[in-house]
Amino acid sequence: MKKTLLGTALLFALAQALPMDAQKQVRLTFNRAGGTAVSNVTVNVTDESGNAIDGVTATLQSIKQGTGTDADAATTDVALKSGGQLDTHSEVLCANYNNNGLDRRFAEFTFKISGLSDFSLNHSDLQIAAMNSGGNFQYNNLPRKCDVRVWGDEDKSTLIASTDGIVTDKNASNETVDNTIDWEIKASTTTPATTEQILVVRLAKSSDNKGCYFGLKQITLYNGYRFATTATSNIDNVATFSASSPVTFSSDATAYIAINSDNKQVTLSPLNGALAAGQGAIVSKATTGDIYAYVSTEATDSRNNLLVGSGDATKELTDGNYYIFNKQGNDAVFSPLSNTSTTLAANKAALKTTTAGGQALTLDFGSVTGINTVTTAMPATNATFDLSGRKVSGKLPAGLYIKNGKKLLIK
């Protein structure tokens, strides 16, 4: 089961430019070759398909223990833990640190990745296992919570991600069942470009932990962004997106920009090339799940795009008429921007029009290609809508409504 830690998604830049064939993911997996010393660990580097990446290598530099989550906490070197399932699961790195008492003991792993040029790390996935003192997987329902810190340099001056209290026990049926949970850790800072990247991962026991050793099974670094979709009745799994760098989208998604607008409709067209930095797109996919956007140097779509993006930071929308993409009932719509709420969230998009805000804009589809147009007129049916775009029925109270695309006044 995949669990997601919410955070501010922004660009952790490791390079100034990104070639068209740049890696989408870099995955680190481990193998302990019969010993507990750091030198006995082989770190494998692969892409999203499990293939080795030419010129990119990684090594485990050290394993340390200490107490707390502060970057300057005192540390001492320790070896790897062995015994139990750890002897069978050589892919799990578990430090043999002092885990007695209720203090917030941690295990800290430092990795050196060489040759990773032209790669923009936006977030990472950590596969974390809950282990017991015998080297077996935890399996009862006691809360075993982990505080995670990820730094981008050896002196821990650049904090990439920080989160507390993640639950690391899947309640496996017995101590031989792998209880690894995959946690997404989103970046919150930026570091200079480098081809030798240091990654420090600290797994600390939370204050209310009932006792646990934390094992690290896999690290996946993502070149770009990952964002959630919303399932609606009129379009499957849709979201708006914007970034401060040009991006392309994963092959299971289709992105659209708004290229034309008048008083009746706004025409959407499939993105042709990369989405330009700071511009917005409507992105959809047929299946449930998140969508990936990858930093790219591909030529951007040069057409005039009416979808204004926030990039990697919030943006104030005060220079025109805007509609915000949201969900009313079960339908995805564009609603007029409220005068009291003019802030567009980071990595989102809004529709800018010459028409002052009135009714919500609905999404209209073609039979094959997905989204065709966004229209200001409601479908030509007997359905009636209020001025917020909500379908209404029955005896209506006095007010102004839209029926068959025309105004209907109820006195």
Side-chain angles (χ1 to χ4, degrees), residues 381-386 390-393 396 401-403 408:
T381 67
N382 288 324
T384 302
F385 301 84
D386 65 16
R390 293 184 293 263
K391 187 176 181 179
V392 294
S393 60
L396 301 176
Y401 300 88
I402 305 296
K403 185 174 183 179
L408 173 65

Side-chain angles (χ1 to χ4, degrees), residues 255-328:
Y256 302 84
I257 61 172
I259 61 171
N260 188 44
S261 176
D262 57 30
N263 291 333
K264 292 185 177 180
Q265 65 179 20
V266 177
T267 304
L268 298 183
S269 177
L271 183 67
N272 181 18
L275 180 67
Q279 292 195 8
I282 297 175
V283 192
S284 67
K285 60 183 294 188
T287 57
T288 58
D290 294 346
I291 293 177
Y292 292 91
Y294 301 109
V295 179
S296 176
T297 55
E298 182 178 345
T300 57
D301 195 322
S302 61
R303 293 173 293 174
N304 182 39
N305 182 12
L306 302 181
L307 291 171
V308 175
S310 57
D312 296 331
T314 59
K315 182 181 180 67
E316 292 300 316
L317 304 178
T318 57
D319 61 341
N321 302 311
Y322 287 94
Y323 288 78
I324 299 297
F325 188 74
N326 60 17
K327 189 174 180 181
Q328 291 187 356

Side-chain angles (χ1 to χ4, degrees), residues 3-77:
K3 297 190 177 181
T4 301
L5 298 176
L6 298 179
T8 301
L10 60 119
L11 195 61
F12 170 33
L14 300 182
Q16 300 300 320
L18 187 69
M20 292 177 61
D21 58 351
Q23 299 298 325
K24 294 180 179 178
Q25 297 178 18
V26 172
R27 185 170 300 161
L28 307 183
T29 55
F30 320 113
N31 181 48
R32 290 178 288 111
T36 59
V38 170
S39 58
N40 292 112
V41 176
T42 299
V43 181
N44 305 303
V45 183
T46 60
D47 61 16
E48 63 271 18
S49 301
N51 300 317
I53 304 173
D54 187 34
V56 180
T57 60
T59 55
L60 176 61
Q61 299 289 290
S62 66
I63 310 172
K64 297 181 181 294
Q65 72 163 353
T67 302
T69 55
D70 292 340
D72 57 357
T75 62
T76 56
D77 291 319

Side-chain angles (χ1 to χ4, degrees), residues 3-229:
K3 297 190 177 181
T4 301
L5 298 176
L6 298 179
T8 301
L10 60 119
L11 195 61
F12 170 33
L14 300 182
Q16 300 300 320
L18 187 69
M20 292 177 61
D21 58 351
Q23 299 298 325
K24 294 180 179 178
Q25 297 178 18
V26 172
R27 185 170 300 161
L28 307 183
T29 55
F30 320 113
N31 181 48
R32 290 178 288 111
T36 59
V38 170
S39 58
N40 292 112
V41 176
T42 299
V43 181
N44 305 303
V45 183
T46 60
D47 61 16
E48 63 271 18
S49 301
N51 300 317
I53 304 173
D54 187 34
V56 180
T57 60
T59 55
L60 176 61
Q61 299 289 290
S62 66
I63 310 172
K64 297 181 181 294
Q65 72 163 353
T67 302
T69 55
D70 292 340
D72 57 357
T75 62
T76 56
D77 291 319
V78 293
L80 287 165
K81 190 174 180 59
S82 62
Q85 290 299 306
L86 286 172
D87 290 345
T88 304
H89 291 266
S90 61
E91 74 280 8
V92 178
L93 303 183
C94 186
N96 191 23
Y97 57 107
N98 181 0
N99 197 30
N100 297 325
L102 298 178
D103 56 1
R104 301 175 68 188
R105 290 284 178 171
F106 64 71
E108 185 176 286
F109 304 90
T110 299
F111 300 92
K112 180 180 179 180
I113 308 172
S114 301
L116 186 58
S117 59
D118 299 333
F119 192 90
S120 300
L121 173 61
N122 170 254
H123 70 276
S124 63
D125 280 353
L126 304 181
Q127 289 191 359
I128 303 172
M131 313 298 299
N132 62 24
S133 59
N136 295 309
F137 294 107
Q138 299 278 17
Y139 68 95
N140 59 37
N141 60 0
L142 294 175
R144 297 178 175 92
K145 296 181 180 180
C146 181
D147 298 341
V148 177
R149 299 292 183 271
V150 182
W151 289 277
D153 46 22
E154 199 160 12
D155 62 2
K156 297 187 283 287
S157 61
T158 304
L159 181 64
I160 296 175
S162 171
T163 187
D164 293 339
I166 66 173
V167 179
T168 59
D169 191 352
K170 282 201 310 186
N171 300 330
S173 57
N174 60 68
E175 64 183 10
T176 67
V177 177
D178 189 343
N179 62 15
T180 304
I181 287 185
D182 192 3
W183 281 95
E184 180 185 357
I185 311 296
K186 289 189 175 182
S188 59
T189 191
T190 301
T191 66
T194 177
T195 57
E196 278 197 347
Q197 177 64 41
I198 296 295
L199 202 66
V200 181
V201 179
R202 180 181 294 182
L203 308 177
K205 185 171 65 173
S206 288
S207 57
D208 60 348
N209 194 311
K210 300 301 181 182
C212 184
Y213 292 82
F214 299 116
L216 187 60
K217 185 176 181 180
Q218 180 175 291
I219 302 174
T220 303
L221 310 177
Y222 291 92
N223 188 0
Y225 302 77
R226 179 181 185 175
F227 56 99
T229 59

